[in-house]
Amino acid sequence: MSATQTSKSSQGSPSSVTFTPRLSHERGGANHGWLKTFHTFSFASYQNDGHDAFRSLRVLNEDRVAPLTGFGEHGHREFEIFSYVVNGELEHKDSMGNVEILKRGDIQLTSAGTGIRHSEKAHGAKEVHFLQIWTVPSVSHLPPKYFTRHFTDEEKTDKLLAVVAPIYATGVSDQRVTAGPTPVQSPVTLYASLLSPSATVKHTFGAPTTGSSKRYGYLHVIQTSGYNTGKATGATIQVNGKLKLVEGDATYIEASKGDVVEIVNVGNKTAELLFFDLD
């Protein structure tokens, strides 16, 4: 991992929040023609011992799939697999009989459990840009399930909106389609935000629930300005008054109960963010 930075409060007193940046151009990935992809963690031919996983977060791929192409039918088991659609349309089909066209604002989550097969392809005449995320479930050998949720841009504007949360959390439903966060069998809450220039959002970490003395986070700035394999450009945020992140950049976060992460848009473009609160 890159050098770690320690945050300080606005009064200058030490804080227990530490940040380890994961810069966009340092991610793995490939351009296969039909697929342009970035890998935060080891995946396929990209293997990096320093970035295999983070807590229950195992895969975070930022994918762009060309029209009328995609991932053919393949199998999964014992992973929670969800897709966050940024632009375009994503066609999902699976062995449970689910067929769906997902658009911007949609999240689909497949709890693979004992095993499923599915395909994910670009639908229509435009490229689909989405984030493919896998987490490790807390309980194994569960029956496969499928969920979808929709969240508008307005709901995410200048706030951290919980779009995925543990199935046991307050306000989370196990219905296939309903309001509220998408249920996941992992100790992770995913927040999404569309942060306007000069706007600020804050997240306060709660108490650990898995026996650890620490809480963890992962903050990712989605690459909304277009595919870029070089150093990050575009929307820019500042975290806790010190760390700057640009589109495609991210940071690992280590914190304690009550610690605050403050995110400010210091650029001139709206920043689309994903913030993972990980136990």
Side-chain angles (χ1 to χ4, degrees), residues 202-225:
K202 296 181 180 180
H203 177 76
T204 302
F205 284 99
T209 62
T210 57
S212 170
S213 62
K214 293 288 187 179
R215 289 301 295 257
Y216 301 88
Y218 193 82
L219 172 61
H220 178 81
V221 187
I222 298 174
Q223 198 182 72
T224 53
S225 292

Side-chain angles (χ1 to χ4, degrees), residues 150-172:
H150 180 79
F151 305 94
T152 65
D153 283 0
E154 183 180 6
E155 290 177 287
K156 292 179 281 189
T157 296
D158 298 335
K159 59 179 69 72
L160 288 170
L161 178 70
V163 296
V164 176
I167 195 165
Y168 52 77
T170 302
V172 178

Side-chain angles (χ1 to χ4, degrees), residues 235-268:
T236 305
I237 62 171
Q238 187 173 65
V239 189
N240 283 27
K242 186 173 184 179
L243 175 65
K244 284 190 177 181
L245 301 173
V246 189
E247 290 183 22
D249 289 342
T251 185
Y252 298 96
I253 303 168
E254 184 175 316
S256 299
K257 177 185 176 182
D259 281 340
V260 176
V261 173
E262 180 182 80
I263 307 165
V264 182
N265 187 332
V266 295
N268 58 9

Side-chain angles (χ1 to χ4, degrees), residues 98-266:
N98 298 296
V99 179
E100 196 142 18
I101 307 300
L102 303 157
K103 302 177 178 65
R104 175 166 176 79
D106 288 339
I107 291 181
Q108 69 88 5
L109 189 147
T110 300
S111 183
T114 53
I116 59 96
R117 295 187 65 80
H118 73 170
S119 64
E120 307 279 352
K121 298 182 178 182
H123 178 78
K126 294 183 179 180
E127 173 186 86
V128 62
H129 176 197
F130 70 105
L131 284 93
Q132 180 185 172
I133 303 160
W134 302 7
T135 62
V136 179
S138 301
V139 181
S140 58
H141 306 299
L142 292 169
K145 289 189 176 182
Y146 178 82
F147 307 95
T148 58
R149 298 290 187 270
H150 180 79
F151 305 94
T152 65
D153 283 0
E154 183 180 6
E155 290 177 287
K156 292 179 281 189
T157 296
D158 298 335
K159 59 179 69 72
L160 288 170
L161 178 70
V163 296
V164 176
I167 195 165
Y168 52 77
T170 302
V172 178
S173 170
D174 64 354
Q175 293 184 40
R176 184 191 181 284
V177 181
T178 190
T182 320
V184 66
Q185 297 282 352
S186 307
V188 55
T189 302
L190 172 60
Y191 299 88
S193 180
L194 291 169
L195 194 60
S196 306
S198 301
T200 300
V201 290
K202 296 181 180 180
H203 177 76
T204 302
F205 284 99
T209 62
T210 57
S212 170
S213 62
K214 293 288 187 179
R215 289 301 295 257
Y216 301 88
Y218 193 82
L219 172 61
H220 178 81
V221 187
I222 298 174
Q223 198 182 72
T224 53
S225 292
Y227 180 65
N228 172 25
T229 59
K231 289 190 176 182
T233 60
T236 305
I237 62 171
Q238 187 173 65
V239 189
N240 283 27
K242 186 173 184 179
L243 175 65
K244 284 190 177 181
L245 301 173
V246 189
E247 290 183 22
D249 289 342
T251 185
Y252 298 96
I253 303 168
E254 184 175 316
S256 299
K257 177 185 176 182
D259 281 340
V260 176
V261 173
E262 180 182 80
I263 307 165
V264 182
N265 187 332
V266 295

Side-chain angles (χ1 to χ4, degrees), residues 7 16 19 31 75 78 89 107 118 120 156:
S7 173
S16 58
F19 301 97
N31 183 347
E78 303 301 351
E89 297 184 347
I107 291 181
H118 73 170
E120 307 279 352
K156 292 179 281 189

